[in-house]
Amino acid sequence: MIVVGGSRGVGRRLVEEAHRHGAEVLALARQPGVLQELARSLPGLETMSLDATDPEAPPKLFDAMVPDILVICAGTHPSLAPLHEQSWQQFAVNWESDVKIAFHFCKAALTRPLPEGTRIVLVSSGAALAGSPLTGGYAGSKRTQLFIANYSQKESDRLGLGLRFLAIAPRILAGTELGESAIAGYSDYLGISADDFIRSMASPPTAAHAAEAIIELAASDKPEGSVFVVSGKGLETVQL
């Protein structure tokens, strides 16, 4: 398994769970110090420090390991402010990171191509389906990741490559850096406490739920669907 964005949040939890289950795992992230700390805690873990937005990152990574499962969950935190308080650079930050990473890695999976049967899982966000008015272009960028997975699957089918592209859209993940930032921003915006905001969410998931969902999809012979919402109750198929 290769985890792009394996040093924090869902990616880190997935690396830990996959390693615990005995998988051979390579974690990619930008900061070598964080990766070194992670490797010390998980003996046998392989790591690589690269900028995932670089078009040359996928071939370098695939030269180091040809995955059975490729999980793309790297990205950047959005700016938390209403639309009229954001600059274009703040609004577009996730298009220049999350979307670019998904584009380069899915393109590389198709053009190399990765071996038949490889699972490619894009970690999007529940914001892709419900919107997110305090995060500028974040929801639109995460929706585009779902389209990229869909388009990639169509191309794999058309070319007879036998690849399986899947996407998950976790709701706000309490306990992660991004999730806690969103909870704080929205509770402040609505004038309620963070605890009250969390109570207003139906079955909020954790990073552990998202990691378990990815492992479940990777282990399934024939997942019923291509896009899945992740909540505290598990996976739910979504029709785009």
Side-chain angles (χ1 to χ4, degrees):
M1 178 185 287
I2 289 177
V3 182
V4 180
S7 66
R8 63 180 184 177
V10 172
R12 183 178 182 121
R13 187 57 186 259
L14 176 61
V15 167
E16 293 168 345
E17 286 297 305
H19 183 271
R20 184 174 66 83
H21 283 290
E24 182 181 356
V25 184
L26 191 160
L28 180 143
R30 187 176 297 182
Q31 297 179 327
V34 178
L35 289 173
Q36 289 167 7
E37 179 273 324
L38 184 60
R40 283 194 294 270
S41 67
L42 300 173
L45 175 71
E46 295 185 51
T47 65
M48 183 175 289
S49 176
L50 286 173
D51 180 353
T53 65
D54 184 344
E56 296 305 313
K60 290 178 182 177
L61 191 59
F62 298 156
D63 284 345
M65 176 187 284
V66 178
D68 298 309
I69 304 160
L70 170 64
V71 182
I72 304 165
C73 54
T76 194
H77 288 189
S79 299
L80 276 165
L83 176 68
H84 66 287
E85 295 179 7
Q86 295 201 20
S87 66
W88 172 250
Q89 287 72 27
Q90 289 173 309
F91 183 90
V93 65
N94 297 102
W95 290 86
E96 291 295 334
S97 57
D98 306 44
V99 175
K100 185 179 286 188
I101 292 166
F103 172 81
H104 287 315
F105 274 90
C106 288
K107 178 179 178 179
L110 291 164
T111 55
R112 189 174 184 102
L114 291 179
E116 182 177 356
T118 303
R119 299 283 174 93
I120 300 97
V121 182
L122 274 70
V123 180
S124 176
S125 167
L129 305 170
S132 181
L134 273 190
T135 54
Y138 179 73
S141 71
K142 304 312 276 187
R143 180 78 173 193
T144 297
Q145 287 184 310
L146 304 186
F147 288 135
I148 288 174
N150 180 267
Y151 299 163
S152 297
Q153 187 63 62
K154 290 181 184 299
E155 287 307 300
S156 174
D157 294 344
R158 186 177 69 87
L159 298 170
L161 300 179
L163 304 177
R164 188 71 166 93
F165 290 85
L166 303 159
I168 66 166
R171 293 173 179 158
I172 293 177
L173 294 165
T176 65
E177 186 179 345
L178 177 58
E180 292 301 313
S181 176
I183 289 167
Y186 273 104
S187 60
D188 183 64
Y189 182 74
L190 296 171
I192 61 176
S193 70
D195 288 341
D196 284 342
F197 181 81
I198 293 171
R199 281 191 286 269
S200 73
M201 297 190 295
S203 301
T206 63
H209 289 123
E212 290 164 7
I214 294 168
I215 291 172
E216 180 182 340
L217 288 175
S220 175
D221 289 337
K222 293 183 179 179
E224 296 183 4
S226 295
V227 177
F228 303 85
V229 168
V230 181
S231 72
K233 296 180 180 179
L235 288 168
E236 177 184 347
T237 306
V238 174
Q239 297 296 328
L240 291 183

